[in-house]
Amino acid sequence: MATKNTSTIIVTGGAGYIGSHTIIELLQQTDYEVLSIDNFSNSTPATFDRIESITGKQIKNLNVDLCNYEALEHALEKVKNPMGIIHFAAFKSVGDSVNMPLTYYHNNLESLINLLKISEKYAIKNFIFSSSCSVYGNVESLPVTEDTPFAKAESPYAHTKQIGEDILINYVKSNPTFKTVLLRYFNPVGAHNSGLNGELSKDKPNNLVPFITQSAAGILPPLTVFGDDYDTRDGSCIRDYIHVSDIADAHVKAMEYIVNNKQKNNTSIFNLGTGNGVTVFEVIKAFEKVTEQTLNYKVGARRPGDVIKIYANNNLAKQELQWEPKNGLDEMMLSAWKWQVNISPKK
Ligand code: UD1
């Protein structure tokens, strides 16, 4: 745990889904100053009220586009002792990235490069990067470890994460006092257990769990299960779902890890998953069981770009970060539903 200090941790995408949960954990577990940078491209300022209602603390946000280097440099001029950056802000829709590859390459890579230039300018030495299990592509053997070689990226989104990792790895080689942790998220789901903060994208959700909760709340039509003829135990795809607060907790631990020089190398890479592979039908059953809702769904065609099954070997993160995911699938579903009911009480 951090001792009393006045250092600032900069969180990009602080109003977003994982960013906001990480800010909550930072405020509750450490005494760092936290500064968010978010231009609300897929979030709203109301998130900061939610963070305040949970933590009792107000967060300052800079509404700056990370692709605008001059604006970023100017906005950060007066920050007190900036010590680390946790970089969440990025576009993350796999489908959109297939349709708008240049938008994805531009946004996700230029923002990262600008932040590294800023780190150099303001002597910020600790950097945590949101990567994704999508960097692995369609792998041959499961579970994946951090050493599993990358297959071809299945989407431009996944490719931006592969390139982002490479940029950081090469940057560290050129700058040995700079330290980075690349966190490969599997499928973050659920909401803060209070039900007061959760996932809320501006557009119709593409991801499974927000689609389930919004469908159960009567906001969206019945869920379509994308394929039941895969070579898995019930024919639907397998993923490693992990509670968003467990992901958030790993960021706090990763920051402490590099700040306290516990790294073996200046670049560390960790899978953040529970290690459990779960099918789409199993997610639906868990949701129905814990919420006592009946979910209307139908089976449809496979979704282009879906990998069949992937789940993590998370031993390295457990050993090195002293991290342990605390929530199971039931807690993920229950918290997601609590959040849904909070924002749109069922009619
Ligand atoms: C993917 C990436 C993940 C990335 C995330 C960002 C992989 C393996 N994972 O997650 O790294 O962070 O996008 O958005 O590439 N499903 C349905 N019906 C729906 C929605 C989803 O059946 O309406 C199924 C999908 O086919 C999939 C599972 O639910 O099997 C999870 O899908 P989703 O929540 O979209 O996440 P991924 O695509 O796995």
Side-chain angles (χ1 to χ4, degrees):
M1 212 62 32
T3 47
K4 183 82 189 152
N5 67 65
T6 54
S7 309
T8 300
I9 304 287
I10 297 167
V11 177
T12 74
Y17 176 45
I18 308 177
S20 60
H21 286 86
T22 298
I23 289 178
I24 292 166
E25 295 302 317
L26 281 168
L27 294 175
Q28 291 183 331
Q29 296 190 38
T30 77
D31 51 14
Y32 293 122
E33 295 285 324
V34 177
L35 174 71
S36 166
I37 305 179
D38 199 309
N39 67 348
F40 306 116
S41 74
N42 190 27
S43 61
T44 63
T47 305
F48 297 111
D49 300 332
R50 298 188 183 113
I51 291 174
E52 191 180 349
S53 70
I54 293 169
T55 64
K57 293 180 185 161
Q58 272 182 348
I59 283 298
K60 183 171 175 199
N61 181 67
L62 304 174
N63 185 340
V64 176
D65 181 349
L66 297 174
C67 291
N68 182 341
Y69 179 80
E70 282 71 32
L72 187 60
E73 185 183 50
H74 180 67
L76 292 177
E77 253 164 17
K78 295 200 180 107
V79 177
K80 266 192 310 185
N81 198 6
M83 205 202 49
I85 296 178
I86 307 182
H87 178 38
F88 293 102
F91 292 160
K92 62 148 201 172
S93 163
V94 172
D96 287 353
S97 79
V98 173
N99 297 325
M100 303 183 288
L102 296 185
T103 305
Y104 269 68
Y105 284 112
H106 174 83
N107 184 68
N108 290 2
L109 298 179
E110 177 134 25
S111 55
L112 173 61
I113 291 166
N114 281 346
L115 282 170
L116 293 177
K117 284 160 66 182
I118 279 292
S119 300
E120 215 156 85
K121 165 132 186 121
Y122 294 118
I124 304 171
K125 299 292 183 191
N126 304 292
F127 196 97
I128 295 177
F129 178 63
S130 296
S131 188
S132 156
C133 71
S134 63
V135 296
Y136 292 112
N138 266 309
V139 291
E140 307 261 304
S141 70
L142 289 166
V144 285
T145 72
E146 290 78 358
D147 292 329
T148 300
F150 292 175
K152 190 171 104 27
E154 291 291 313
S155 67
Y157 160 77
H159 198 204
T160 67
K161 293 296 176 187
Q162 289 182 343
I163 299 170
E165 288 199 6
D166 280 345
I167 289 173
L168 279 157
I169 289 166
N170 287 326
Y171 180 68
V172 167
K173 283 185 198 153
S174 77
N175 191 339
T177 59
F178 186 82
K179 294 172 286 177
T180 188
V181 180
L182 316 179
L183 295 176
R184 293 179 182 157
Y185 313 149
F186 281 66
N187 283 62
V189 298
H192 191 266
N193 284 333
S194 64
L196 297 175
N197 189 44
E199 185 167 10
L200 191 59
S201 64
K202 279 190 170 165
D203 301 323
K204 189 176 118 181
N206 297 312
N207 295 114
L208 179 64
V209 174
F211 201 105
I212 287 177
T213 59
Q214 291 189 30
S215 174
I219 299 165
L220 290 179
L223 173 79
T224 300
V225 175
F226 296 140
D228 68 349
D229 55 355
Y230 286 104
D231 181 18
T232 60
R233 53 185 173 266
D234 62 20
S236 63
C237 289
I238 291 182
R239 295 286 184 275
D240 185 338
Y241 298 93
I242 174 159
H243 195 289
V244 65
S245 295
D246 284 324
I247 292 263
D249 179 46
H251 288 75
V252 177
K253 294 187 161 63
M255 188 53 85
E256 300 288 354
Y257 182 74
I258 45 177
V259 168
N260 295 322
N261 291 312
K262 298 210 175 122
Q263 279 185 301
K264 295 194 177 75
N265 305 302
N266 281 7
T267 302
S268 304
I269 304 178
F270 299 116
N271 284 339
L272 296 184
T274 61
N276 301 319
V278 175
T279 71
V280 176
F281 290 120
E282 288 163 355
V283 172
I284 294 171
K285 278 189 207 116
F287 175 80
E288 292 189 318
K289 182 190 76 181
V290 297
T291 64
E292 298 177 349
Q293 300 292 309
T294 303
L295 187 75
N296 293 319
Y297 65 89
K298 57 183 196 283
V299 174
R302 293 179 175 195
R303 180 171 68 175
D306 260 342
V307 301
I308 302 166
K309 51 181 160 182
I310 190 157
Y311 51 94
N313 175 321
N314 62 7
N315 289 344
L316 198 62
K318 285 180 172 168
Q319 274 162 27
E320 291 294 308
L321 300 179
Q322 311 291 307
W323 168 80
E324 187 78 47
K326 297 187 191 83
N327 299 280
L329 191 58
D330 287 356
E331 285 90 358
M332 299 178 212
M333 293 302 120
L334 200 56
S335 59
W337 182 238
K338 221 168 153 182
W339 162 243
Q340 185 67 56
V341 171
N342 180 27
I343 50 173
S344 54
K346 198 174 174 192
K347 292 160 208 120

